[in-house]
Amino acid sequence: MMAMIQALFLRDIRLARRVGGGATLGVVFFLILITIMPFAIGPDLVLLARIGPAVLWIAALLATLLGLDRLFQSDCDDGSLDALRASDLPLEVIVLVKCLAHWMMTGLPLVVAAPAFGVMLGLEPDALWGVTVSLLAGTPALTCLGAIGAALTVSLRRGGLLLAILILPFSIPVLIFGVSAAEAASGGTIPFATPFLILCALSLMALVLAPLAGAQALRQMDE
Amino acid sequence: MQFHSLLTMGIFENLWGILLADASSHAFGPALGLSVHDLGVMRGARSVLAGLSFDVTAGEALIVAGPNGAGKSTLLRSLAGLLPLCAGHITLSGVGAPDEDGDIDHARYVHYLGHKDGLKSALTAAENLNFWAAMMARDSSLGLFANKALTSTEALARMGLAHALDVPVAYLSAGQTRRVALARLLVAHRPIWLLDEPTTALDTASQLRVRDIMCAHLGEGGIVIAATHTELGLSSARELNLRPLTSGASS
C-alpha cells in the first residue's frame, strides 16, 4: 500500500512539474496580486503594513484555487480515474494523496514565498512570521476544501468558475482565523494561540472531510 | 443469437468447465468463472441493460456485439464495478477467498481498458507503465498471478514498441498510444480482461499482436470480454448480441 501511495504521489509531483510550470505559476500569480495591491491602495506604508496580512491571505486563497479544477478532471478526461478506482487503494486515500501532492506543489511554495512578499507590503518581522505560520497551517484547509469542489465539478467542462463559487464561501472561516492569527502575532488584544489553534482545527477537519466527500462525489460521477 | 440460447449454452459450458477442471489445471486455479445473472443497469432515468444473463469460464472469450447505443460500454463498466447495478448480480468463482458476505468482489479481478487510454501525455511510455505496474500491483498473499506481470520494457516489446520506451506519450500516434495502453494489461495481471474497442486505431500488424496477447491470456486460463465492431480473430470466441432497449420498457 505504501508503494502505491508513493507511486501516485510521485506521479502527481512529476506531472505538476512538467505541465504548465506547476509551482512557479502559482507563486508568480501570488506575486502579481501582491504587486498590484499598492497600486490600487496607494503608497501609504502604514496602511499597507496594517492590511498586509489580509492582503497576503486573500492572494494566497486565490492562488490556491488556481489549477485546482484540474485536480481530478485531468485524470477523468484521460481515463486514469477509472483505472485508479480499480487499484487496491481506497478512493479516499487516492483523493488524500492527490490533495497532498497538489498542496506540495502549490500551497507550500506560497508559504515559502510569503515572507519575501510580505516585505514588499512593509510588514514588520513579527507580522511576517505570523503570516507565514498561519499560511502554513491554513493552506492545507484551502486545498482540501477546493478538492471537494474539484471532485463535484469533475465532469463539467468549465468547472473552474463554478468551483470558485462553490468553495469560496466555505473558505471564509479559514480566512477569518488565518488573518486574525497573523494579526495577533504582531501585537493585539488576543494571544496568537487562540485563533491559530482554531485554524489548525479547521485544517484537520478539512483533511478528514475532503477524502470522504471527494471520494463520494467521484463515485457519483457516472450516474 | 438469443439470450436464452446463450444462457443454456453458458450453463453447458460451465458444466464442461467444472468437469474439465481437474484434468487441466489452469494458472488461475481450477474453475475461474464469471456469472452474470439478470443484470440491470440504469443511466440516469433510462434503463440501458435489463434481464441480461450469461456465463464465461476460464479460457473463454466473449465478444459483446451490437449497434451503437446498445449498452456495450455500459455492460463493461458495470462488470468493472464502475457503475452501480440496479438489478441482478455478478458472481465470480475460482479466485480468492470470499468476504464475510460470501461474495467475491469481482472488481478486484478485472482489468478494464475503456475508450480512454489512461495515459498521461506528459510522461513517457515507460513512466506511465511503471506507474500502473506499481499502482495495480497485487499482494502476493492472494497466491494468484503474482509472478505473471511483465516489466514495462517486456510489455512494450510485446506490443512492438520497444523503441518508444522513453518517448513522451504526447509524441506517439493514436495507434501507438493505444498499444501503450494495451501494454498496461501485461504489467499488472488480472484474470478477467474487459476491453472496450481494443483495436481502435491499430494497424493490421498490431491487431495481430493484440490477438496474440489475448490468446496467451486465454491459454493461461484467463477470461476476455471485449466489446468491438471489428473481427478480433479469436477462433473460439462466443458472441453476445445486445440490442438497444426501447425507453422505459424492459425486455
Side-chain angles (χ1 to χ4, degrees):
Chain A
M1 188 152 161
M2 280 317 292
M4 292 179 195
I5 291 173
Q6 193 186 355
L8 182 62
F9 185 77
L10 290 179
R11 181 193 75 149
D12 272 27
I13 297 277
R14 192 176 282 162
L15 279 172
R17 287 181 57 186
R18 280 193 203 164
V19 185
T24 45
L25 197 65
V27 173
V28 170
F29 184 67
F30 191 45
L31 172 66
I32 288 175
L33 287 177
I34 301 297
T35 315
I36 62 172
M37 212 54 82
F39 288 107
I41 293 166
D44 182 347
L45 265 182
V46 181
L47 179 66
L48 279 176
R50 191 162 61 78
I51 63 169
V55 169
L56 281 166
W57 254 93
I58 289 178
L61 174 62
L62 296 178
T64 306
L65 283 178
L66 201 73
L68 206 57
D69 58 322
R70 294 294 291 166
L71 182 59
F72 301 112
Q73 205 175 48
S74 59
D75 279 339
C76 178
D77 285 349
D78 62 20
S80 301
L81 197 59
D82 289 339
L84 282 176
R85 283 172 67 184
S87 75
D88 283 352
L89 215 53
L91 194 50
E92 285 79 6
V93 179
I94 291 174
V95 172
L96 183 64
V97 172
K98 286 186 74 72
C99 285
L100 287 177
H102 189 268
W103 180 78
M104 283 278 290
M105 293 312 283
T106 59
L108 198 56
L110 297 184
V111 176
V112 174
F117 296 171
V119 172
M120 292 171 58
L121 293 172
L123 291 191
E124 297 296 316
D126 277 349
L128 282 180
W129 175 83
V131 166
T132 311
V133 173
S134 67
L135 280 176
L136 182 65
T139 43
L142 299 179
T143 302
C144 288
L145 286 172
I148 300 175
L152 284 170
T153 57
V154 68
S155 54
L156 301 177
R157 196 95 310 276
R158 299 249 170 211
L161 192 59
L162 182 61
L163 167 78
I165 291 170
L166 279 175
I167 289 310
L168 284 175
F170 290 100
S171 62
I172 289 173
V174 182
L175 195 65
I176 290 173
F177 289 104
V179 174
S180 59
E183 282 174 349
S186 56
T189 48
I190 46 168
F192 174 70
T194 313
F196 183 72
L197 287 180
I198 297 176
L199 185 66
C200 291
L202 287 171
S203 257
L204 291 174
M205 270 163 59
L207 215 55
V208 173
L209 196 65
L212 297 174
Q216 198 53 38
L218 291 176
R219 285 196 189 98
Q220 302 292 322
M221 179 185 71
D222 268 323
E223 290 174 36
Chain B
M1 200 179 287
Q2 297 296 312
F3 286 151
H4 63 260
S5 64
L6 260 177
L7 179 59
T8 44
M9 207 169 91
I11 288 170
F12 276 121
E13 286 184 8
N14 211 5
L15 282 174
W16 270 115
I18 293 165
L19 287 173
L20 289 171
D22 290 329
S24 63
S25 135
H26 282 305
F28 299 134
L32 177 75
L34 184 73
S35 166
V36 171
H37 181 69
D38 197 26
L39 188 77
V41 180
M42 308 272 287
R43 298 301 290 270
R46 202 166 64 91
S47 179
V48 180
L49 295 170
L52 184 64
S53 302
F54 61 85
D55 291 284
V56 198
T57 50
E60 215 176 18
L62 182 73
I63 306 297
V64 184
N68 296 139
K72 299 188 293 293
S73 297
T74 303
L75 173 63
L76 291 187
R77 287 186 71 82
S78 55
L79 288 177
L82 295 170
L83 287 178
L85 311 182
C86 68
H89 49 88
I90 301 167
T91 43
L92 184 66
S93 53
V95 284
D99 60 19
E100 53 270 20
D101 303 330
D103 287 331
I104 298 171
D105 182 11
H106 60 273
R108 295 195 65 211
Y109 296 93
V110 302
H111 223 318
Y112 170 75
L113 182 64
H115 290 286
K116 302 169 188 165
D117 293 317
L119 301 172
K120 291 289 175 197
S121 53
L123 302 181
T124 68
E127 283 170 337
N128 269 296
L129 288 178
N130 287 337
F131 168 69
W132 286 119
M135 205 59 204
M136 303 185 81
R138 205 28 80 72
D139 189 359
S140 57
S141 67
L142 282 165
L144 291 161
F145 38 83
N147 53 355
K148 284 285 180 192
L150 303 181
T151 65
S152 304
T153 317
E154 290 166 346
L156 279 174
R158 281 282 289 277
M159 297 310 298
L161 277 174
H163 58 283
L165 202 62
D166 293 320
V167 180
V169 170
Y171 298 155
L172 298 177
S173 76
Q176 287 173 323
T177 310
R178 195 65 181 159
R179 275 147 70 190
V180 177
L182 284 158
R184 197 179 85 205
L185 298 170
L186 303 171
V187 296
H189 220 67
R190 297 284 193 276
I192 300 169
W193 288 2
L194 303 172
L195 311 176
D196 204 344
E197 297 285 357
T199 53
T200 313
L202 293 188
D203 56 28
T204 323
S206 304
Q207 289 186 11
L208 289 178
R209 286 196 192 94
V210 174
R211 193 198 64 188
D212 288 345
I213 63 165
M214 284 198 286
C215 284
H217 182 67
L218 294 171
E220 287 165 356
I223 286 175
V224 173
I225 300 178
T228 183
H229 295 288
T230 52
E231 188 59 50
L232 291 179
L234 295 169
S235 52
S236 61
R238 283 195 296 143
E239 194 163 303
L240 173 70
N241 264 304
L242 293 179
R243 284 157 300 164
L245 296 178
T246 47
S247 60
S250 59
S251 67

